[in-house]
Amino acid sequence: MTWNSGAAVRHGGAGPARAAGRFMFPQRIPATVRVPVGGSGEPALGVTMRTPSRVDVSKLLAGDLAAFGGPQADEDAAGAIRAEQVALVLRHAPGIMLANAGNALVLVLALWTTPLRWPAALWSSAVIGTVLLTLLKGRGSWRITKPTSVSRRTIHRLVRNAFILGCVWALLPLYFFAGAGQGGQLVITCLCAGMLAGGALAFATIPVAAVGFIGPIFLGAVVSLGRIGDFISLLMVALILLYVGVLLRGVFAYAFEFSASLVRQIETAKAVRQDPLTRLPNRFAFNERLDACLARLLPGGAEFAILLLDLDRFKQINDQYGHPVGDGFLVEVAARLRRCTGEGDFAARIGGDEFALIATGLTKPEDALAIAERIVAAFADPFRIDEREIAGATSIGIVLAPRDGTTANDLFKHVDMALYRAKRAGSGTIEFFAPGDDIAARERRALVRDLEQAVARGELALVYQPFLDLRTGRIAGVEALARWHHPVRGLVSPAEFIPIAEETGLIHGIGDWVIREACTTLARWPQDIRVAVNVSAVQLQNTGILQTAVRALADAGVAPHRLEIEMTESMLLSKSGAAPSVLDALLALGVTLALDDFGTGFSSLTYLRKLPFSRIKIDQSFIRDMLTRPDCAAIVRSVIGLAQDLRIGVVAEGVETTPQLDALRDAGCDEVQGYLIGRPMPAAEVSALLTADRPKTGHAA
Ligand code: C2E
Ligand code: MG
Ligand code: MG
């Protein structure tokens, strides 16, 4: 007779835990019970402590204590509880089996001198035979790997087997007691008492099974004693009734405590693995699942993909609308993510605005791409949070295991690189990891290390590109452009190192140096010459730029209006953090403001009204094509007209030819900048240019 014949059990993925000797009201909570934090997340923790309104017989027979007013659990948690119940019963099973055999032998010996000798021998042989068979059959399964979940059917079988065993033992009082003689009756009474107590102990965690086993023996005893009907027999009935009452009370009390402890354990295990805001699995759960997938990967197991998401502009949403709206946004993102995932997918929130997904059961890389495309498409509709419509978008990086790595570390590193490339390519981009990413990332890390030292080592320099005033025909000022003379790589373009400096925060040190250096140099040039410095959005998040400007201007003895800040349109969108107040303070100081690369971003006219720009700089892409493309010419003309109407200056960038210059002059452009007028040059060359430009004025060179 087996306790778990045909058990439908699910085994834990990663490291199978041994059942033997492991569980006794465990206090080490998360490691013992491995509760699946449901696929793509689930609505809430699955365990409550309330009494159900209707008794479910299947649940009742499956050892669910909710039927008796005990703790109630959802199916996942109930499966985990059943696994613990079965594990405990199995742990005691060999001992109980041997006790059964021993008891059966004792009965034969006790009845050997009575006419019941052969029936007793037959009965005992059946019991001992079954025990031996069970022990032999279950040799391996007593030490089976502990399942994470056990089906109701398994407990149903266990209860059924307990009942059959109880019925077998009920034959003792029913069939053997009357003709057993005085000694035999004493032995049968002892055996019955022992079986009642042993059964209660063996099935202490599953009261239905205990009742199934004890019930027949108890009834058998009552019937056989009732048949005798004398005072002593009735006294014994009362005594057995009391015993059974005490035993069952103990069983229920123990089982309740056992389940309640497991429920608490499961709740903690879930809480440890669940993100409280979105109710998606968290990073911890994600890592566990990843480990499990990796364990199944070898040898030649299933392939899987990791998709890493990064929400675009999340910080901005948080800053602009406040944290409650930001939280609502994340909850909605999680909901949309759930809708995009299927059976084999495991979505988790692994950081502030970082979500990740493990997709299993893939047959080709395109399957992972299809999921990513579904997710990107799910962001297409605006998010409605607190009556607000918020546009959301995400970039996604993808790695495939084992192709792109066989360790969690490698896979994460690589999916990060793929995501980095996706983010750089723009909103809604999906990128697979490519081996080149690894090299690029290594190079980038080396570049960051070198850039950290660049200012201190004096490797940065400024070159200056002149602005020509078309009305006076003279140099009106210069734009300071940073150059990095790398000791090994040679000249590194700002297009390469400025974005890195922005991402790493090194831009603050570099930007401060640029302002100080530009002001110092400007002090050597005539009073009507201005210097424009390019400023990144991140620099305006830091009030330090203000102190730098004040000190640099004061130290150099330069009037604030001679220093111009160039900012791009994209910067105007990040009206977050300290930016507006820093900008206001710089303007209050007297520093002027130019809008760089106009036409390449959102070209919002609102900002032109809101901020007191001194100048608009038309992006060089329009100037390059203005003589060949009528649309570019129209844009250039209208921007010049707009600037004139707003009474602000206008500069054309990237002027390379005389026809371009003539066309711009005809259109009424104020100033031009570009290779035709002068390439970015060292300060000394600017000084020479200014001397030639102002022969009579003269200035300190
Ligand atoms: P930008 O501010 O729009 O600077 C103009 C860029 O166009 C410069 O490139 C300049 O050399 C180039 N250029 C000027 N005239 C012509 C022309 O006639 N034809 C062509 N094809 N190009 C021309 P550069 O120096 O490589 O700078 C690139 C960008 O790097 C700058 O664009 C600016 O956004 C950024 N940058 C440069 N220095 C700094 C800095 O100190 N701080 C910050 N935050 N950004 C900087
Ligand atoms: Mg510029
Ligand atoms: Mg520009």
Side-chain angles (χ1 to χ4, degrees):
M1 210 164 303
T2 55
W3 303 106
N4 64 334
S5 51
V9 292
R10 281 189 272 136
H11 289 275
R18 294 269 161 208
R22 231 176 127 228
F23 185 84
M24 246 357 236
F25 282 109
Q27 298 304 314
R28 270 183 316 116
I29 285 161
T32 325
V33 174
R34 294 168 64 85
V35 186
V37 181
S40 298
E42 43 198 56
L45 290 179
V47 187
T48 48
M49 299 282 283
R50 60 193 160 75
T51 317
S53 48
R54 204 154 38 85
V55 174
D56 181 334
V57 179
S58 161
K59 275 189 173 181
L60 190 145
L61 290 178
D64 193 326
L65 293 172
F68 305 101
Q72 204 181 31
D74 67 15
E75 199 36 44
D76 269 345
I81 293 175
R82 287 194 292 266
E84 296 294 341
Q85 290 171 326
V86 170
L88 210 58
V89 171
L90 284 181
R91 232 181 93 202
H92 296 304
I96 292 167
M97 286 278 133
L98 287 174
N100 271 278
N103 288 352
L105 204 64
V106 167
L107 182 82
V108 182
L109 294 175
L111 301 186
W112 197 249
T113 53
T114 70
L116 289 169
R117 173 201 294 193
W118 293 117
L122 196 71
W123 180 89
S124 288
S125 310
V127 171
I128 293 171
T130 311
V131 164
L132 289 178
L133 215 75
T134 309
L135 284 178
L136 261 162
K137 227 173 101 186
R139 228 176 344 161
S141 67
W142 308 124
R143 297 181 62 78
I144 55 162
T145 54
K146 187 166 145 191
T148 54
S149 182
V150 158
S151 69
R152 278 189 205 174
R153 240 182 76 221
T154 305
I155 304 278
H156 289 168
R157 282 168 187 274
L158 194 143
V159 172
R160 184 200 64 194
N161 291 347
F163 178 70
I164 293 172
L165 197 61
C167 289
V168 169
W169 282 101
L171 286 177
L172 252 62
L174 276 178
Y175 181 74
F176 295 107
F177 191 77
Q182 216 177 359
Q185 285 185 344
L186 192 67
V187 169
I188 289 176
T189 310
C190 281
L191 287 179
C192 283
M195 276 297 147
L196 289 176
L201 190 76
F203 300 111
T205 54
I206 314 170
V208 222
V211 171
F213 180 76
I214 291 174
I217 302 174
F218 166 71
L219 285 177
V222 170
V223 169
S224 78
L225 290 169
R227 265 197 232 131
I228 300 169
D230 62 3
F231 174 72
I232 295 292
S233 302
L234 291 179
L235 203 65
M236 279 178 74
V237 168
L239 215 58
I240 292 175
L241 203 68
L242 187 74
Y243 283 172
V244 169
V246 170
L247 280 175
L248 287 183
R249 197 183 170 278
V251 165
F252 273 90
Y254 176 75
F256 271 40
E257 180 59 33
F258 176 82
S259 292
S261 157
L262 278 177
V263 161
R264 281 195 296 276
Q265 196 179 338
I266 289 165
E267 276 179 345
T268 314
K270 278 205 168 190
V272 162
R273 290 167 175 81
Q274 196 174 53
D275 167 45
L277 177 67
T278 60
R279 300 241 181 254
L280 277 183
N282 59 15
R283 183 180 272 272
F284 182 67
F286 183 84
N287 288 343
E288 273 188 345
R289 179 59 68 104
L290 182 56
D291 285 344
C293 288
L294 285 169
R296 277 199 292 268
L297 197 64
L298 306 168
E303 297 186 356
F304 66 93
I306 301 178
L307 281 71
L308 188 62
L309 281 73
D310 187 86
L311 306 184
D312 300 338
R313 294 177 49 242
F314 176 68
K315 189 181 177 312
Q316 214 173 308
I317 293 169
N318 242 349
D319 291 345
Q320 195 169 342
Y321 303 110
H323 284 265
V325 173
D327 284 355
F329 181 74
L330 291 174
V331 170
E332 180 57 27
V333 166
R336 291 190 187 190
L337 211 53
R338 275 193 199 100
R339 287 203 286 273
C340 298
T341 51
E343 263 287 283
D345 306 329
F346 184 88
R349 180 182 174 212
I350 58 166
D353 64 342
E354 267 195 339
F355 292 81
L357 193 134
I358 298 175
T360 52
L362 308 173
T363 52
K364 49 190 185 315
E366 288 76 31
D367 294 345
L369 182 64
I371 300 173
E373 281 172 346
R374 271 207 305 278
I375 296 172
V376 167
F379 278 73
D381 290 336
F383 289 70
R384 209 176 290 275
I385 318 285
D386 273 3
E387 311 284 306
R388 285 189 183 86
E389 277 209 349
I390 300 172
T394 181
S395 311
I396 303 179
I398 307 178
V399 280
L400 298 169
R403 192 191 77 179
D404 300 329
T406 49
T407 64
N409 226 356
D410 279 355
L411 287 170
F412 244 104
K413 202 172 72 189
H414 291 161
V415 77
D416 232 6
M417 290 171 190
L419 177 64
Y420 178 74
R421 194 150 40 82
K423 270 162 58 176
R424 293 199 72 147
S427 243
T429 309
I430 302 164
E431 291 284 358
F432 277 91
F433 168 75
D437 286 347
D438 213 0
I439 301 160
R442 237 176 294 142
E443 271 194 5
R444 187 175 174 276
R445 278 198 296 277
L447 209 62
V448 170
R449 270 199 306 275
D450 292 347
L451 191 56
E452 280 166 2
Q453 313 290 330
V455 176
R457 288 189 189 147
E459 290 168 7
L460 289 187
L462 284 185
V463 287
Y464 301 88
Q465 189 176 27
F467 301 117
L468 180 72
D469 186 325
L470 287 179
R471 273 162 308 177
T472 61
R474 291 167 63 176
I475 304 298
V478 289
E479 175 176 4
L481 294 160
R483 295 288 178 266
W484 180 13
H485 296 279
H486 190 281
V488 181
R489 293 166 198 260
L491 192 67
V492 183
S493 149
E496 194 177 344
F497 73 84
I498 293 290
I500 294 177
E502 287 174 346
E503 283 163 29
T504 52
L506 292 171
I507 193 70
H508 298 293
I510 294 173
D512 286 354
W513 174 84
V514 168
I515 291 173
R516 281 198 308 272
E517 181 71 12
C519 288
T520 311
T521 311
L522 183 64
R524 295 191 236 139
W525 295 331
Q527 298 288 330
D528 58 342
I529 294 292
R530 68 171 193 275
V531 71
V533 291
N534 293 283
V535 164
S536 302
V538 269
Q539 283 178 264
L540 293 181
Q541 306 290 325
N542 188 341
T543 49
I545 190 174
L546 194 62
Q547 286 142 21
T548 305
V550 171
R551 178 162 295 178
L553 290 167
D555 288 353
V558 166
H561 73 269
R562 295 180 63 200
L563 177 65
E564 189 156 272
I565 300 279
E566 285 194 11
M567 50 190 283
T568 57
E569 287 174 88
S570 53
M571 287 173 61
L572 299 173
L573 286 178
S574 63
K575 275 190 72 187
S576 55
S581 56
V582 170
L583 204 57
D584 287 347
L586 282 169
L587 290 167
L589 192 68
V591 169
T592 59
L593 193 62
L595 184 53
D596 204 358
D597 303 345
F598 188 74
T600 54
F602 293 83
S603 309
S604 167
L605 303 181
T606 317
Y607 288 117
L608 283 179
R609 256 186 340 109
K610 276 190 183 162
L611 286 170
F613 287 106
S614 302
R615 244 169 293 278
I616 303 175
K617 296 183 75 182
I618 308 173
D619 188 67
Q620 48 181 277
S621 55
F622 298 103
I623 309 302
R624 189 179 52 230
D625 296 334
M626 66 180 285
L627 297 181
T628 49
R629 285 179 50 179
D631 55 341
C632 285
I635 290 171
V636 171
R637 272 198 310 275
S638 53
V639 174
I640 293 172
L642 178 76
Q644 284 168 345
D645 289 346
L646 293 172
R647 295 185 199 293
I648 53 180
V650 60
V651 183
E653 292 187 272
V655 178
E656 292 184 352
T657 65
T658 313
Q660 285 170 346
L661 181 73
D662 293 340
L664 288 162
R665 184 182 282 117
D666 291 347
C669 189
D670 299 321
E671 293 180 8
V672 286
Q673 183 189 25
Y675 292 169
L676 182 69
I677 292 86
R679 289 189 174 248
M681 57 188 91
E685 281 181 36
V686 175
S687 300
L689 195 68
L690 290 176
T691 312
D693 193 43
R694 292 166 165 75
K696 294 185 201 97
T697 329
H699 60 275

